[in-house]
Amino acid sequence: MSAIATPVDAVDAQAAEFRQYICRACGLIYDEEKGDPDSGLAPGTLFANISDDWSCPLCGVTKSDFEPYVTVLNTTQKEPSQAGLSRRVDPGVVIVGAGTAGWQMAKSLRDRDATLPITMVTNCPGDVYDKPLLSVAMAKGLDVEALVKETGRQAADRLHIRLLPEAHAVSINTATNTLRTTRGTLKFRHLVLAHGAAPRVDAKLPAELCWTVNDLQYYRRFRGAVSASGKPQRIIVTGAGLVGSEIANDLALAGHSIVLLDVAERPLASLLQESSCKELLDAWSSLDIEFVGGVRVQKVIRTQRGVQVETDSGFKVEGDHLLAATGLQTPSRLAMSAGLQWNNGIAVNSEDLSTSVENIHALGDCISINGQALRYIEPIGRQAQVIAARLTGCERMAYSHAKPVVRIKTGSRGFTV
């Protein structure tokens, strides 16, 4: 792959109106002003001057899968609501969640209003990282700490927001516009729920015997456990969907032995045609990956080595670790406390992402539109733009709900669907 491009010269750089372009597959933003030094693109490199064979450094799709990313500023300075409300007592916007959706929301709000009070509540440190890298980091030789682009505190300082890390959101009182947390009760004028989804609970996959890698904290612990012995591990992965297949591929490329189990007869059966699934299995033939399809886990027990998994077909396998990648579900407790409409997630309006309570919006993995949850990175940036425009009094934008381009990062044989 060649990423050779010609940056604008010093004179042109001053005159150029630098633009940003967003990857439709993973949401990465290419900023012409900053370039992408890791790909050989110097600061000031215009997108038009990048060679056509350049690919997204995060997910690998081509240049043609990028589109202009436009930030709409509030040039009218109109108050978003409650005209005459003093900024000194304005509780502003409270965001629950500091994942991709939470930080995109904070940035989109700050882009439009430099003085809007913003508070972010998160049950983790709030560090900023690219979640798609969790399923390719080992093959790329990336240290866990190298995945952190910015600490939560650094990001909060940059955006001038109040961050409450390690704080759990407990309940919402819509009568008083307050959010109860484990670090106190917060008032809000607008509340944005961006707390994502959690690994699906399965009684046959006890948490004390299974790993999940839905966020950086759990991934850090998993990586530490896998590398603790200093030798290759035998890892059982249950669930051969997008996450399971990607991380199984990544673990195998890092030298580990993988047994991949799924209820479907083929890996990635819900995303790929049968012929593409065969191409993937052929690519895996050079790796230490054993795929066992058409089985359901019935029992997991602890052994001297680690764990043993037994399926409904009688198939038994023993390994050092078990990783569960059997899907996500949206925690309902917070939404239920506010009486929000629920339909396979927090039900939101398909055009403005509002919930059934007027001053509460939601975006990202925790929402559903017409009962459909769409848990991909790409739509999040557009969702944040729509909500931010609405909350800051900018000209309103309409959200266009569509399935995004998905880059399947099985490094042995990648697919775009």
Side-chain angles (χ1 to χ4, degrees):
M1 180 190 76
S2 170
I4 299 174
T6 305
V8 292
D9 58 35
V11 175
D12 289 341
Q14 294 178 355
E17 180 185 351
F18 291 119
R19 294 180 172 84
Q20 295 178 331
Y21 293 79
I22 187 170
C23 174
R24 292 196 297 266
C26 72
L28 178 134
I29 295 175
Y30 174 75
D31 189 329
E32 292 180 332
E33 185 175 8
K34 297 178 181 177
D36 182 27
D38 291 341
S39 297
L41 304 178
T45 301
L46 299 183
F47 188 77
N49 292 340
I50 300 175
S51 59
D52 291 338
D53 62 351
W54 176 77
S55 59
C56 174
L58 181 55
C59 74
V61 299
T62 64
K63 177 183 174 182
S64 63
D65 288 306
F66 280 71
E67 63 184 18
Y69 179 76
V70 180
T71 297
V72 181
L73 298 177
N74 184 354
T75 57
T76 63
Q77 297 299 312
K78 183 176 67 175
E79 282 293 328
S81 64
Q82 299 187 24
L85 183 67
S86 170
R87 286 284 183 173
R88 290 177 296 176
V89 297
D90 180 8
V93 178
V94 173
I95 301 169
V96 178
T100 300
W103 285 116
Q104 284 273 14
M105 191 69 251
K107 180 182 183 303
S108 295
L109 287 167
R110 185 56 75 226
D111 283 344
R112 289 164 171 76
D113 191 325
T115 62
L116 175 69
I118 303 172
T119 300
M120 179 181 287
V121 178
T122 176
N123 60 9
C124 67
D127 295 342
V128 180
Y129 65 98
D130 290 318
K131 191 173 181 179
L133 285 178
L134 298 186
S135 58
V136 296
M138 281 180 273
K140 289 179 175 287
L142 298 176
D143 182 78
V144 175
E145 300 313 316
L147 300 179
V148 178
K149 299 168 64 176
E150 198 175 19
T151 68
R153 178 54 56 199
Q154 290 170 335
D157 289 346
R158 173 173 54 83
L159 293 172
H160 305 293
I161 72 171
R162 178 190 181 196
L163 176 67
L164 267 65
E166 311 294 350
H168 292 261
V170 178
S171 62
I172 302 166
N173 187 324
T174 56
T176 59
N177 284 341
T178 54
L179 172 72
R180 182 182 167 216
T181 81
T182 53
R183 292 184 59 184
T185 298
L186 303 172
K187 289 193 66 66
F188 61 81
R189 178 156 49 90
H190 293 284
L191 179 66
V192 180
L193 301 179
H195 53 69
R200 189 178 301 280
V201 176
D202 187 333
K204 293 177 180 177
L205 295 170
E208 65 273 16
L209 298 179
C210 295
W211 294 101
T212 58
V213 291
N214 191 47
D215 58 45
L216 185 60
Q217 286 183 299
Y218 281 98
Y219 181 75
R220 180 184 284 112
R221 292 168 54 196
F222 173 68
R223 280 279 295 268
V226 168
S227 62
S229 69
K231 61 182 181 180
Q233 301 285 283
R234 183 168 175 80
I235 302 171
I236 305 164
V237 180
T238 177
L242 188 62
V243 172
S245 293
E246 287 184 348
I247 202 161
N249 192 100
D250 193 46
L251 287 163
L253 288 172
H256 300 290
S257 175
I258 309 302
V259 179
L260 179 60
L261 311 175
D262 198 83
V263 296
E265 296 290 343
R266 309 185 307 273
L268 292 165
S270 64
L271 287 172
L272 297 179
Q273 299 292 328
E274 185 174 355
S275 59
S276 295
C277 293
K278 185 179 184 304
E279 289 179 26
L280 178 59
L281 289 171
D282 289 343
W284 278 349
S285 64
S286 62
L287 297 176
D288 193 354
I289 299 179
E290 178 187 1
F291 174 71
V292 182
V295 296
R296 294 180 184 275
V297 174
Q298 289 288 25
K299 184 189 300 183
V300 180
I301 61 173
R302 192 182 302 278
T303 65
Q304 186 174 0
R305 176 175 182 173
V307 293
Q308 178 182 280
V309 175
E310 181 177 347
T311 72
D312 56 356
S313 67
F315 176 78
K316 294 182 180 180
V317 59
E318 190 171 1
D320 299 292
H321 303 281
L322 171 61
L323 178 87
T326 52
L328 300 173
Q329 61 186 9
T330 304
S332 61
R333 175 179 48 80
L334 199 58
M336 294 297 106
S337 72
L340 301 184
Q341 185 177 344
W342 185 269
N343 188 1
N344 190 33
I346 301 170
V348 297
N349 182 285
S350 61
E351 291 188 359
D352 62 16
L353 303 166
S354 59
T355 71
S356 54
V357 174
E358 183 179 6
N359 63 338
I360 301 179
H361 290 71
L363 76 162
D365 287 359
C366 65
I367 70 169
S368 71
I369 295 178
N370 299 323
Q372 180 186 17
L374 194 63
R375 298 188 173 112
Y376 297 105
I377 295 292
E378 182 275 330
I380 290 174
R382 294 187 289 113
Q383 292 169 359
Q385 295 265 6
V386 170
I387 296 174
R390 180 181 176 90
L391 300 193
T392 59
C394 291
E395 182 177 351
R396 294 197 177 187
M397 305 167 61
Y399 175 66
S400 176
H401 179 52
K403 290 185 177 181
V405 175
V406 179
R407 173 68 176 179
I408 301 172
K409 302 182 294 301
T410 42
S412 302
R413 172 65 172 90
F415 300 89
T416 300
V417 296

